[in-house]
Amino acid sequence: MRVDIYCRDEAQGKHSYLAVPEGKPIPQEATNTDWHPEAQHVEVDDDHDELPKYHIEHTLSQIGAKGYAITGVSQQL
């Protein structure tokens, strides 16, 4: 699966990342004016299901459950 990645600045120079299926909008419950495009057409490997560069774990599971995947809170700080 390919996804588009969005970024949001956090405190202390940290960032949160949001992945949505390629070409899809950010779902309404995750809409935030602070999200800005980071990368497009990023391939998620079905066998690894992680995007370590963006600190997103269980990417495909998260997308299946809520329509997007997000950086884990423990990874942000």
Side-chain angles (χ1 to χ4, degrees):
M1 168 185 277
R2 292 197 314 185
V3 297
D4 294 331
I5 305 290
Y6 295 86
C7 181
R8 179 176 69 196
D9 296 329
E10 302 288 349
Q12 300 175 338
K14 303 286 184 178
H15 304 284
S16 291
Y17 295 96
L18 181 81
V20 296
E22 181 180 39
K24 300 283 185 182
I26 297 172
Q28 187 171 0
E29 68 269 16
T31 300
N32 183 320
T33 57
D34 295 330
W35 292 112
H36 59 272
E38 177 74 15
Q40 294 182 323
H41 319 295
V42 176
E43 188 69 39
V44 179
D45 185 343
D46 291 341
D47 294 330
H48 294 100
D49 194 26
E50 295 185 7
L51 294 170
K53 179 178 179 179
Y54 304 106
H55 308 286
I56 300 176
E57 298 177 349
H58 312 293
T59 308
L60 300 176
S61 311
Q62 288 191 62
I63 289 172
K66 52 192 175 187
Y68 63 92
I70 194 165
T71 302
V73 174
S74 62
Q75 297 294 323
Q76 293 178 15
L77 304 175

